[in-house]
Amino acid sequence: MLIPLFLSLIPFISSQTCPDIQASSCEEKQNMSRTLRTIARIINPPELPEGDGARVRRVVGTNQLKNLDPFLMMDHFFVSKPAGFPDHPHRGFETVTYMITGSCKHEDFKGYAGEIGPGAVQWMTAGKGIMHAEMPGTDSMEGLQLWVNLSREYKMCEPNYQDAGESEILKVEGDGVRATIIAGTCLGQTARTVTRTPTYYFVVELERGKTLNQEIPDGWNGYVYVLNGTVSIGNSNLSRFQAGILTQNGELRIESSEGAKFALLAGRPIGEPVVQYGPFVMNTREEIEETFNDFRSYRNGFEAGRGWVSKIRDG
Ligand SMILES: *[C@@H]1O[C@H](CO)[C@@H](O)[C@H](O)[C@H]1NC(C)=O
Ligand SMILES: *[C@@H]1O[C@H](CO)[C@@H](O)[C@H](O)[C@H]1NC(C)=O
Ligand SMILES: *[C@@H]1O[C@H](CO)[C@@H](O)[C@H](O)[C@H]1NC(C)=O
Ligand SMILES: *[C@@H]1O[C@H](CO)[C@@H](O)[C@H](O)[C@H]1NC(C)=O
């Protein structure tokens, strides 16, 4: 990833301490209304080059949909060796990787390393700074990577990982519905994932003719991204690789006449100003410049970056 050079010297900023965090159980639930959400807009994610030779379908993060507070980006990635995402930094948000097929090796600049296989999830809070590499562990890999924004109070947190193998992730079944609950509450069950920004993230398989009724707190933004088949929400249909942005209030009713697999994302908007520059997302232009300076001078979270080169970057 290209790293532009900001060279001005900016005084040291002390890192904030992070307030206590809570699992994203739904304290806003009592405010649920009986209205049904509909599709406000359909997105046709473009296919783009990313990383080193990788291809992604960018659902969130293009001119069609720059962001959907608190979501900054979502890529549906398809990567075959030797392509991948070699050494690059992040600050100010969380990356959530969900593997669909194949496995992904990762390694960060503090020696945290591993491999996530099909159905596994890595929820990484970059906080004040991470440098890492993400490369295929199998000949090819397919998955979703979501970027969730952090509010000002968490942007300079210590980095943190919540990794879960396929067998550790909560799965629930309803009538013709199978849901993998990466975060939040679905069909009466709540994942243990701690989300600093209250978030729901499910991957759902719906049998033909079946319906999922899902409560989402009023005011939260959300969207559905179809991985297979077609779904109907209100009067709109979404087909494979289309995303539908939901209206902001009410319950969601998703039906599928032919059967479908889709990702459902919803989150409480942060609603503060945002400045994003490549892999860094902060609140002001000054904070972005400070971040480039910290990154280039190996400080305020990027200390371990000095001289660091991942072992996995060349496959
Ligand atoms: C909760 O419901 C009340 C009463 O309907 C409404 O005034 C308030 O704006 C709602 N709050 C949110 C966060 O939606
Ligand atoms: C998509 O759905 C069809 C029909 O249900 C199924 O045969 C196929 O395996 C699915 N493909 C993927 C990638 O899930
Ligand atoms: C959506 O799909 C249903 C069932 O396949 C079909 O009857 C309906 O006409 C479609 N609606 C739109 C707006 O395309
Ligand atoms: C991202 O979070 C920051 C606060 O840390 C906020 O200012 C901004 O509005 C958020 N941006 C988006 C696009 O969600």
Side-chain angles (χ1 to χ4, degrees):
M1 204 169 281
L2 285 179
I3 309 299
L5 311 178
F6 282 82
L7 282 168
S8 58
L9 280 172
I10 293 203
F12 179 91
I13 36 157
S14 64
S15 62
Q16 292 155 250
T17 47
C18 300
D20 285 345
I21 46 182
Q22 289 178 348
S24 148
S25 73
C26 176
E27 71 275 8
E28 280 121 305
K29 211 170 200 163
Q30 56 276 30
N31 233 12
M32 216 75 73
S33 66
R34 289 284 109 191
T35 322
L36 286 182
R37 291 185 184 231
T38 58
I39 299 291
R41 193 146 63 92
I42 294 179
I43 303 292
N44 291 293
E47 219 183 305
L48 306 168
E50 183 50 87
D52 181 5
R55 305 287 297 174
V56 302
R57 238 175 248 281
R58 184 149 297 161
V59 182
V60 179
T62 69
N63 287 336
Q64 275 186 66
L65 180 60
K66 270 201 153 41
N67 54 61
L68 187 69
D69 192 1
F71 305 115
L72 300 165
M73 200 199 75
M74 188 167 90
D75 280 347
H76 183 184
F77 59 83
F78 303 86
V79 185
S80 294
K81 280 180 175 174
F85 307 99
D87 312 4
H88 59 279
H90 295 293
R91 171 182 278 182
F93 59 98
E94 303 185 290
T95 64
V96 185
T97 306
Y98 171 72
M99 293 306 294
I100 297 173
T101 55
S103 75
C104 179
K105 284 189 192 169
H106 65 92
E107 178 191 335
D108 81 4
F109 66 169
K110 292 180 176 164
Y112 186 85
E115 188 161 340
I116 53 176
V121 173
Q122 177 178 77
W123 196 296
M124 180 184 92
T125 306
K128 67 183 185 179
I130 280 283
M131 258 187 95
H132 71 168
E134 298 155 293
M135 304 297 290
T138 41
D139 286 343
S140 61
M141 62 176 186
E142 178 195 352
L144 300 174
Q145 189 172 80
L146 174 74
W147 291 10
V148 187
N149 201 3
L150 286 169
S151 63
R152 188 187 294 276
E153 60 182 336
Y154 295 124
K155 280 206 181 292
M156 293 297 281
C157 278
E158 284 302 323
N160 179 55
Y161 288 92
Q162 300 177 78
D163 284 5
E166 191 273 335
S167 61
E168 297 165 296
I169 295 171
L170 181 62
K171 295 187 189 66
V172 293
E173 286 197 23
D175 175 25
V177 185
R178 272 183 308 282
T180 297
I181 310 180
I182 298 169
T185 304
C186 181
L187 297 172
Q189 305 233 33
T190 302
R192 276 176 310 168
T193 315
V194 171
T195 60
R196 287 148 187 83
T197 305
T199 308
Y200 285 1
Y201 185 176
F202 319 130
V203 176
V204 180
E205 286 175 79
L206 208 53
E207 285 171 15
R208 57 188 309 161
K210 297 297 182 180
T211 301
L212 171 68
N213 290 305
Q214 173 65 41
E215 292 188 339
I216 300 173
D218 282 350
W220 283 26
N221 287 321
Y223 63 95
V224 169
Y225 174 62
V226 180
L227 292 160
N228 198 9
T230 60
V231 300
S232 308
I233 297 168
N235 292 324
S236 310
N237 295 334
L238 299 173
S239 52
R240 186 173 163 89
F241 303 147
Q242 281 189 319
I245 303 173
L246 305 174
T247 52
Q248 263 190 326
N249 294 306
E251 190 177 314
L252 177 61
R253 177 170 302 162
I254 306 187
E255 303 170 302
S256 183
S257 53
E258 63 167 273
K261 181 175 178 181
F262 59 87
L264 167 56
L265 286 294
R268 187 168 70 194
I270 293 171
E272 299 166 12
V274 69
V275 180
Q276 173 168 2
Y277 201 96
F280 304 125
V281 183
M282 303 299 285
N283 292 107
T284 65
R285 188 150 203 95
E286 290 68 35
E287 285 170 6
I288 287 286
E289 287 185 26
E290 282 160 11
T291 297
F292 273 107
N293 284 321
D294 287 348
F295 177 60
R296 292 179 48 76
S297 352
Y298 310 109
R299 64 186 188 196
N300 290 329
F302 290 108
E303 286 80 356
R306 190 183 295 278
W308 179 75
V309 177
S310 75
K311 297 182 197 75
I312 63 175
R313 62 169 300 147
D314 296 318

